[in-house]
């Protein structure tokens, strides 16, 4: 008897594919063969074949359960690492992009200059009409994109700012690229080939042609990139970008390009952020709403409060000719 348990896998897989009833029918065929062509059931002592069957099945059932537990533990550990990496990157990005506002006391000259700037901005908005200008800019951008020969033939990004292809789907943020590969069969991690290099990616099932084998659109951080097999049927690969200022136009060089001009990043979920980071994002969203309504942002409101306090502290000064929003 061979010590290699996988020696007859290809033969048994071919047999299994011909049994529409699945494992039950396959076992029936094997047992029928033993009954018709061997003395397995009649050649030994009474009850011996039952003991052999029971011992063999329990032995391999134990191995299968241990392997399943190991895979589950590896998956949970990989999911945890992936979640920690994503949360850390999100916090770093938001902390880098949005800094807490600070209040600076103004001198008398600075206060007068500030109010003049506010009046000037308000006058320009009334004369030009900010809504018409914004609409004109958008129309000009669309027209320029249609006329640009570099944009012809490029695909529109999917909802995750990546691309949906025949054998896989990829999405991206400025920090990372996420690749999902449906495997269409139940596999184990050791059945897969996943090799992540700085500028090259290989993904596939062992013994079969690679699903992905190409040069990445940009460099990735190998030590912070990871992959995990989900439910035995879906491969998830997370690639950490080196350059966090650019959008990828494709996953690997053999893929069709997407139009990075049409990428529309979605905002982060506030519920996923820690208290400090969430406060920064909420401030940013508040300021955006205030601008859309023509109202002062939190920074502008603080400056106006400083002006008001300054006026109260200096009742001897004449502010009758000043205009305040």
């Amino acid at each position: 008897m061979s010590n290699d348990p996988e020696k007859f896998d290809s033969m048994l897989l071919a047999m299994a594919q011909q049994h529409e009833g699945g494992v039950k029918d396959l076992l029936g065929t094997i047992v029928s063969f033993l009954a018709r062509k061997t003395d397995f059931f009649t050649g030994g002592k009474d009850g011996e074949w039952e003991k052999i069957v029971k011992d063999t099945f329990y032995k391999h059932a134990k191995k299968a359960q241990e392997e399943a537990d190991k895979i589950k533990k590896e998956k949970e550990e990989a999911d945890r690492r992936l979640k920690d990496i994503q949360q850390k990157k999100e916090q770093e990005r938001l902390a880098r992009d949005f800094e807490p506002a600070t209040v600076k006391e103004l001198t008398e000259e600075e206060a007068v200059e500030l109010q003049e700037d506010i009046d000037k901005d308000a006058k320009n908005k009334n004369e030009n009409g900010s809504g018409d200008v914004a609409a004109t800019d958008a129309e000009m951008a669309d027209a320029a994109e249609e006329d640009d020969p570099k944009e012809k033939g490029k695909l529109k990004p999917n909802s995750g700012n990546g691309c949906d292809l025949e054998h896989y789907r990829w999405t991206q943020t400025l920090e990372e690229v996420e690749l999902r590969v449906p495997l269409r069969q139940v596999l184990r991690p050791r059945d897969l080939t996943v090799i992540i290099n700085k500028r090259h990616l290989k993904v596939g099932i062992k013994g079969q042609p690679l699903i992905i084998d190409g040069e990445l659109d940009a460099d990735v951080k190998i030590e912070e990139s990871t992959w995990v097999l989900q439910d035995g049927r879906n491969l998830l690969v997370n690639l950490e970008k080196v350059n966090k200022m650019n959008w990828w136009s494709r996953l690997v060089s053999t893929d069709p390009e997407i139009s990075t001009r049409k990428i529309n990043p979605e905002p982060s979920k506030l519920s996923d952020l820690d208290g400090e980071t969430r406060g920064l994002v909420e401030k940013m969203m508040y300021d955006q709403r205030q601008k859309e309504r023509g109202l002062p942002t939190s920074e502008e409101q603080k400056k106006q409060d400083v002006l008001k306090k300054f006026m109260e502290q200096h009742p001897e000064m004449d502010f009758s000719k000043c205009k305040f929003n």
Side-chain angles (χ1 to χ4, degrees):
M1 183 176 178
S2 173
N3 292 326
D4 183 4
E6 300 181 1
K7 181 178 180 180
F8 301 105
D9 280 1
S10 58
M11 184 186 305
L12 291 171
L13 282 172
M15 289 177 57
Q17 292 172 353
Q18 299 180 46
H19 289 76
E20 296 181 358
V23 174
K24 183 178 179 181
D25 285 1
L26 176 61
L27 285 175
T29 298
I30 295 174
V31 173
S32 174
F33 169 78
L34 293 175
R36 291 180 294 102
K37 300 296 183 180
T38 73
D39 62 349
F40 177 73
F41 293 104
T42 59
K45 299 179 180 178
D46 290 343
E48 185 174 0
W49 68 267
E50 292 179 276
K51 184 177 184 302
I52 293 175
V53 169
K54 183 182 295 185
D55 291 346
T56 303
F57 270 76
Y58 275 109
K59 174 184 175 182
H60 289 283
K62 182 180 179 182
K63 287 183 178 180
Q65 187 61 53
E66 290 174 349
E67 182 67 21
D69 293 341
K70 180 181 177 182
I71 292 173
K72 181 180 179 182
K73 184 177 180 181
E74 290 175 350
K75 176 182 178 299
E76 291 174 348
E77 180 63 21
D79 287 343
R80 184 190 64 77
R81 292 198 308 269
L82 181 60
K83 185 176 180 180
D84 289 345
I85 291 173
Q86 291 174 335
Q87 186 176 15
K88 179 182 177 182
K89 289 183 294 188
E90 185 67 14
Q91 291 173 352
E92 290 176 349
R93 180 181 70 82
L94 291 170
R96 183 173 62 250
D97 293 345
F98 309 109
E99 296 180 358
T102 57
V103 178
K104 179 182 177 183
E105 294 289 343
L106 302 180
T107 64
E108 181 179 344
E109 291 80 8
E110 289 174 333
V112 174
E113 184 179 351
L114 172 63
Q115 186 57 45
E116 289 176 354
D117 291 339
I118 293 174
D119 292 342
K120 187 183 295 183
D121 290 341
K123 182 179 180 181
N124 290 336
K125 287 182 179 179
N126 291 332
E127 291 177 352
N128 298 330
S130 57
D132 295 339
V133 174
T136 302
D137 290 343
E139 292 171 0
M140 291 176 64
D142 291 340
E145 184 175 307
E146 292 176 359
D147 295 338
D148 190 348
K150 295 181 180 179
E151 290 296 303
K152 290 184 179 179
K154 292 186 178 180
L155 302 177
K156 181 180 180 181
N158 59 22
S159 59
N161 299 318
C163 190
D164 297 333
L165 300 172
E166 181 180 0
H167 299 296
Y168 53 89
R169 177 180 193 267
W170 67 275
T171 58
Q172 66 174 322
T173 64
L174 280 173
E175 289 75 29
E176 65 184 5
V177 173
E178 183 178 278
L179 167 67
R180 291 184 178 274
V181 184
L183 301 173
R184 300 183 177 87
Q185 56 184 305
V186 178
L187 296 171
R188 298 163 297 181
R190 67 186 184 189
D191 297 325
L192 302 177
T193 296
V194 182
I195 302 175
I196 304 173
N197 291 322
K198 184 177 181 180
R199 195 62 183 266
H200 199 96
L201 176 65
K202 289 185 179 182
V203 173
I205 301 172
K206 291 180 180 178
Q208 300 182 19
L210 289 171
I211 300 172
I212 300 173
D213 182 9
E215 183 179 356
L216 294 168
D217 197 55
D219 293 347
V220 299
K221 295 181 180 179
I222 302 175
E223 65 278 3
E224 294 187 25
S225 298
T226 184
W227 66 273
V228 62
L229 180 62
Q230 297 181 323
D231 303 323
R233 291 180 177 272
N234 295 282
L235 173 64
L236 172 63
V237 181
N238 186 272
L239 303 173
E240 176 79 9
K241 293 181 179 180
V242 172
N243 186 345
K244 300 181 183 300
M245 298 300 292
N246 290 333
W247 295 103
W248 286 17
S249 62
R250 54 192 173 187
L251 179 67
V252 291
S253 57
T254 53
D255 287 349
E257 286 190 274
I258 64 170
S259 174
T260 54
R261 293 186 182 181
K262 297 179 181 178
I263 283 178
N264 182 27
E266 295 183 2
S268 302
K269 295 180 180 178
L270 293 179
S271 58
D272 295 338
L273 306 177
D274 62 84
E276 181 180 357
T277 306
R278 179 172 178 173
L280 295 176
V281 176
E282 287 177 340
K283 173 186 175 298
M284 177 192 67
M285 296 171 65
Y286 170 79
D287 288 345
Q288 182 62 33
R289 287 195 299 268
Q290 290 292 94
K291 287 182 180 179
E292 292 173 354
R293 297 170 183 172
L295 300 174
T297 64
S298 56
E299 284 286 345
E300 293 168 347
Q301 185 63 54
K302 287 181 180 179
K303 291 176 181 178
Q304 292 182 14
D305 292 341
V306 171
L307 282 173
K308 183 178 179 181
K309 181 179 179 181
F310 177 80
M311 292 171 61
E312 292 174 349
Q313 292 175 346
H314 298 275
E316 74 282 358
M317 296 183 64
D318 182 11
F319 294 94
S320 59
K321 295 182 180 181
C322 297
K323 294 180 181 180
F324 300 97
N325 292 337

